[in-house]
Amino acid sequence: MARYTDEQCRICRRNGEKLFLKGSRCYTDKCAIVTRNYAPGQHGQGRKKVSNYGLQLREKQKVKRIYGVLETQFRNLYERADKMAGITGENLLSLLERRLDNVVYRMGLASSRKEARQLVGHGHFLLNGHKADIASMTVKPGDVITVKERSKSSAKFKALVENNTKVAPKWLEANLEEMSAKVVANPGREDIDLEIAEHLIIELYSK
């Protein structure tokens, strides 16, 4: 499977804003947006006029990078969202939020979505009591996500719980002491604390 192997901070610099891809580092003065708030590369500090298409493409790329999905995955999610009742853009964001790796991140059991993806892939979680090691799985209201019993005693998860500063969104009922969470509702647009102009993505795919 293809994956991005270059420096994560370059992605934030390219977008010109924090995407919180490196966990706790993003909240310090070492963040690249604080130290070098311009695009990477030889001509990164030059001024460039961006077309409407460029704005739409950049917004799509930003959301893909935030949630760590590839183009084909993202296109498939858009097609699912388009067939659902309601507003396509909000449906798309809801599907992204309900990915298992994002839920683990929202629970506070990972410092970044990338780390959450690794933990899920290594088989540390159960979904409704069954093995869940596919990061792209979509959860639904009523689903319960828990850390495996043998993983709860590991130093890694103990440290994650102790250092957690996140507040779980209202659509997720998290219990850090038990290292579990229950999905109580589908996330609404007001529950997504990210600066995303989803209408630009819909305009791009609607062409």
Side-chain angles (χ1 to χ4, degrees):
M1 178 180 174
R3 60 192 178 95
Y4 181 83
T5 58
D6 206 345
E7 175 57 50
Q8 296 286 321
C9 291
R10 288 176 65 89
I11 297 176
C12 296
R13 291 176 59 204
R14 172 59 59 193
N15 282 277
E17 60 184 294
K18 289 188 180 187
L19 302 183
F20 301 97
L21 303 177
K22 297 194 75 172
S24 58
R25 181 187 176 92
C26 300
Y27 298 93
T28 69
D29 292 337
K30 294 181 180 180
C31 173
I33 291 296
V34 176
T35 59
R36 293 177 292 171
N37 191 12
Y38 51 85
Q42 182 179 357
H43 305 291
Q45 298 186 64
R47 293 184 178 180
K48 294 182 181 179
K49 184 177 179 180
V50 182
S51 65
N52 286 336
Y53 173 78
L55 289 173
Q56 294 165 355
L57 181 62
R58 183 171 294 178
E59 197 67 15
K60 183 195 75 170
Q61 297 292 76
K62 179 177 81 172
V63 176
K64 280 171 54 183
R65 289 160 178 166
I66 288 174
Y67 288 98
V69 298
L70 300 177
E71 178 59 37
T72 301
Q73 292 175 309
F74 196 82
R75 179 78 195 202
N76 290 340
L77 285 171
Y78 164 75
E79 291 176 356
R80 283 179 61 188
D82 193 37
K83 294 175 182 177
M84 295 166 60
I87 302 172
T88 302
E90 294 183 5
N91 292 340
L92 176 61
L93 294 181
S94 177
L95 288 171
L96 287 165
E97 279 290 301
R98 289 190 287 128
R99 280 173 54 98
L100 182 57
D101 54 355
N102 182 74
V103 173
V104 169
Y105 169 71
R106 293 293 193 186
M107 288 169 64
L109 291 178
S111 60
S112 66
R113 290 179 177 86
K114 182 178 180 180
E115 183 179 41
R117 207 154 41 247
Q118 291 175 333
L119 292 173
V120 171
H122 291 163
H124 291 293
F125 290 89
L126 299 174
L127 178 60
N128 298 327
H130 300 286
K131 181 180 179 181
D133 57 2
I134 301 175
S136 60
M137 294 175 70
T138 303
V139 302
K140 60 184 183 300
D143 284 347
V144 177
I145 302 94
T146 57
V147 176
K148 282 185 176 179
E149 284 299 324
R150 65 180 181 182
S151 299
K152 287 181 179 180
S153 59
S154 69
K156 174 68 175 178
F157 279 97
K158 287 181 179 179
L160 285 169
V161 171
E162 290 175 1
N163 298 327
N164 175 60
T165 57
K166 295 187 183 72
V167 177
K170 65 181 182 182
W171 57 272
L172 196 62
E173 201 172 77
N175 186 333
L176 274 182
E177 290 185 2
E178 296 294 329
M179 298 188 194
S180 67
K182 181 177 181 179
V183 181
V184 295
N186 286 327
R189 184 62 184 90
E190 67 280 2
D191 300 319
I192 301 171
D193 57 347
L194 300 168
E195 293 186 9
I196 296 173
E198 62 270 19
H199 68 278
L200 294 176
I201 302 171
I202 305 308
E203 289 172 6
L204 177 65
Y205 277 128
S206 298
K207 290 182 178 180

